[in-house]
Amino acid sequence: MHELSVAMSIVELATEYAEKEDAKQVKELEIEVGDFSGVVLDALDFAMEEAVRGSICEGASWKIIPVHPRARCRSCGHEFSPATLYEPCPACGAFGFDLLNGNELKLKSILVD
Ligand SMILES: [Zn+2]
């Protein structure tokens, strides 16, 4: 399962940080997940429960924050929020845009004790 390896690397990152800070416990995690990252939010939530077990993150709460994609049309520069990667620009109808965000998959913040 893809989400479990994602969750494990988030916990790993958090553990590294906590150790560096000499923390005893990780209290809170905020994880940003872009709509186009390929990660299923519910599955990640479930995977986190597995991943924190036995780690310094056990007992922590986490928030999974969905990030909606933003794109800029290559023809007219219009910025919009595409639902898929293959969508015409709503302003000029051209295909082809640069994705500004929506691929995020990162540990946004961490709170330790
Ligand atoms: Zn356009």
Side-chain angles (χ1 to χ4, degrees):
M1 185 168 115
H2 174 57
E3 279 75 10
L4 186 57
S5 62
V6 170
M8 303 279 261
S9 57
I10 287 167
V11 168
E12 212 169 283
L13 263 178
T15 304
E16 264 173 41
Y17 175 85
E19 280 170 359
K20 220 185 295 166
E21 295 290 306
D22 227 358
K24 285 183 270 314
Q25 169 75 47
V26 172
K27 298 193 73 172
E28 225 179 271
L29 299 168
E30 278 188 344
I31 307 156
E32 274 189 345
V33 180
D35 285 359
F36 291 162
S37 66
V39 167
V40 180
L41 300 186
D42 284 350
L44 181 60
D45 193 44
F46 183 74
M48 281 298 290
E49 279 175 38
E50 289 284 319
V52 298
R53 205 166 295 159
S55 78
I56 196 168
C57 300
E58 188 160 4
S61 62
W62 58 85
K63 210 190 293 171
I64 297 174
I65 304 160
V67 178
H68 299 303
R70 294 290 302 165
R72 187 187 294 125
C73 173
R74 285 190 195 134
S75 301
C76 74
H78 179 69
E79 282 186 25
F80 60 105
S81 182
T84 71
L85 286 171
Y86 309 99
E87 215 174 90
C89 169
C92 73
F95 282 89
F97 54 72
D98 294 314
L99 202 58
L100 306 177
N101 58 31
N103 280 323
E104 290 81 355
L105 185 53
K106 61 179 184 205
L107 186 55
K108 190 182 174 229
S109 75
I110 170 169
L111 197 71
V112 295
D113 211 3

